[in-house]
Amino acid sequence: MENASGLQRQLARMKKDLFDQGYLDEQFDQLEELQDESSPNFVEEVVTLFFRDSSRLMANIDDALQQCPRDFHRLDNFLHRLKGSASSIGAAKMKNECTSFREFCSEGNLDGCLRSFQKVKNDHTILRQKLENYLQLLRQVGPVDKASRSGS
Amino acid sequence: MSSPRGPKACGGGAADRPIHVLAVDDSSVDRAVIARLLRSSKYRVTTVDSGKKALELLGLEPNVNMIITDYWMPEMTGYELLKIVKESSELREIPVVIMSSENVPNRINRCLEEGAEDFLLKPVRPSDVARLCNRMR
C-alpha cells in the first residue's frame, strides 16, 4: 500500500492528466480550494450533483431531439443549463461542446446537433469515469494540508 | 458553528449576528458552489431554487442582508425578482446581486438601472464574493 505522499503524487498526476487532456479547467481547482475541514467532501458533493443534473438534462435533450417537429428553443434551454453546470465544475470539454451544440441549434441544423450530442455524451461518460477514479483516490488520501495537495 | 466575528472582516454583522445572504439559483450545482463560497467568508446562507421561494422566504424572514440571484431561471428571472424587491417598501433596502453565465451588456445595464448592486459573471470566484463585503445591508 503506497504511503500518503505516494498517493498524493498519484493524485496530482491524475489531475494534471485531466487538465492536459482538456477535460478540466481551473474552475475545478477553485472547487478544491473551497474544500476544507468544515466542508471536507465538497468536491465530491458538487461532482455528484453535477452528474445527477447533467444525466437528467441529457435525457431531456435526447427526448427533444427525437420529437417531431424539433423544438430548438426548448433544446437550447436544456443546453444552456447543461453548459452552465459544466462550467461551474470546470468540465471544460463538455462546456465547449455545449457551445458548439448551441450554435447548431440556433441554425436549426439537426445533423450538427446529433453529432454534437454524441460528443457531449462521450465526454460525459469519460469524465464521469475519470472523476470517479480521481475522487476515489482523493478519499484515500484523506484530509490533507492544501499546500501539499496542490502538488506544487 | 463559527462565531459571527470570523477571521475575515466581512462575516460579522451589526449586533453580533452573522450576515445572512439569500442565494437564489435553479441549478443545484451552482447553489452548492455559491453557498460554499459565501459560507467560507463566514456568511450565514440560505439557498432557494426559485424567485417565488425567495419571495416566500423574504416574507417570513426580513433579516436578509443581501440577495444574490441567478439571472436566468424558469418562471421568474433574477431581473423580475430584482424588480419586485425594489418595488416593495419592506424589501427595497436589501441589496440584490445578479449572477449570470452570459456576458450581455444590455442585460447588465438593465439590472444595474433597476437597482442591482452588482452583476457577477459565473463561475463566481472568491474575489467576487470579497467584493460584495461592503455592499451588505
Side-chain angles (χ1 to χ4, degrees):
Chain A
M1 184 98 153
E2 277 196 75
N3 64 11
S5 67
L7 286 175
Q8 281 171 44
R9 273 200 302 275
Q10 215 182 316
L11 199 61
R13 255 202 317 271
M14 231 189 235
K15 192 164 82 157
K16 184 173 186 301
D17 282 346
L18 282 164
F19 272 68
D20 287 346
Q21 290 160 17
Y23 284 101
L24 293 179
D25 64 28
E26 64 278 358
Q27 176 61 15
F28 190 80
D29 277 333
Q30 292 285 327
L31 296 184
E32 291 203 312
E33 286 293 306
L34 287 171
Q35 181 159 301
D36 63 17
E37 316 77 48
S38 68
S39 202
N41 301 310
F42 177 66
V43 177
E44 182 158 1
E45 284 162 10
V46 178
V47 168
T48 304
L49 284 171
F50 170 71
F51 282 107
R52 194 185 67 187
D53 252 15
S54 56
S55 298
R56 187 179 37 90
L57 281 166
M58 283 167 55
N60 291 337
I61 291 169
D62 208 8
D63 280 344
L65 283 169
Q66 316 244 10
Q67 275 170 5
C68 269
R70 269 84 187 180
D71 185 341
F72 286 105
H73 180 74
R74 191 159 160 263
L75 200 45
D76 188 66
N77 281 342
F78 292 138
L79 283 169
H80 172 88
R81 282 145 81 172
L82 183 59
K83 183 184 165 183
S85 295
S87 167
S88 294
I89 71 153
K93 258 199 198 187
M94 274 193 73
K95 179 184 79 170
N96 293 335
E97 197 56 52
C98 282
T99 302
S100 305
F101 196 159
R102 288 183 88 187
E103 274 162 25
F104 288 127
C105 235
S106 67
E107 294 159 11
N109 179 345
L110 182 61
D111 255 355
C113 282
L114 292 170
R115 275 181 283 127
S116 221
F117 188 43
Q118 197 52 56
K119 287 192 193 157
V120 170
K121 281 195 282 195
N122 289 342
D123 290 344
H124 188 250
T125 303
I126 295 171
L127 182 65
R128 183 177 222 149
Q129 188 58 65
K130 287 182 186 268
L131 281 177
E132 249 165 57
N133 295 341
Y134 181 81
L135 289 171
Q136 204 166 60
L137 196 56
L138 189 62
R139 261 176 259 136
Q140 277 178 264
V141 167
V144 156
D145 163 20
K146 270 193 240 180
S148 52
R149 202 203 309 133
S150 68
S152 53
Chain B
M1 179 127 125
S2 57
S3 99
R5 283 203 200 86
K8 296 188 187 150
C10 274
D16 284 342
R17 252 193 330 224
I19 286 178
H20 184 199
V21 181
L22 175 62
V24 191
D25 201 312
D26 63 313
S27 157
S28 63
V29 173
D30 290 353
R31 278 200 303 281
V33 174
I34 193 69
R36 181 73 203 115
L37 272 169
L38 291 165
R39 284 179 185 133
S40 67
S41 283
K42 309 298 181 213
Y43 299 128
R44 177 186 155 212
V45 184
T46 303
T47 58
V48 292
D49 65 7
S50 70
K52 179 163 174 250
K53 291 204 184 129
L55 290 170
E56 279 167 12
L57 189 131
L58 288 163
L60 297 169
E61 166 145 23
N63 290 322
V64 166
N65 303 94
M66 177 172 276
I67 298 165
I68 179 163
T69 178
D70 188 27
Y71 180 89
W72 199 253
M73 296 185 289
E75 290 163 20
M76 188 191 295
T77 66
Y79 176 74
E80 286 160 351
L81 176 60
L82 166 69
K83 278 192 74 170
I84 293 172
V85 167
K86 292 303 162 185
E87 281 163 14
S88 150
S89 49
E90 290 96 31
L91 303 176
R92 70 161 63 107
E93 295 302 311
I94 306 176
V96 180
V97 172
I98 314 273
M99 303 180 281
S100 176
S101 54
E102 291 168 324
N103 188 351
V104 180
N106 284 345
R107 177 186 295 182
I108 298 174
N109 289 333
R110 220 161 33 112
C111 288
L112 294 173
E113 274 163 28
E114 200 59 46
E117 197 63 37
D118 206 337
F119 193 102
L120 304 177
L121 282 180
K122 287 179 170 183
V124 177
R125 293 295 170 86
S127 53
D128 295 321
V129 171
R131 207 165 86 200
L132 300 179
C133 173
N134 302 320
R135 264 70 161 280
M136 303 284 173
R137 178 167 67 149

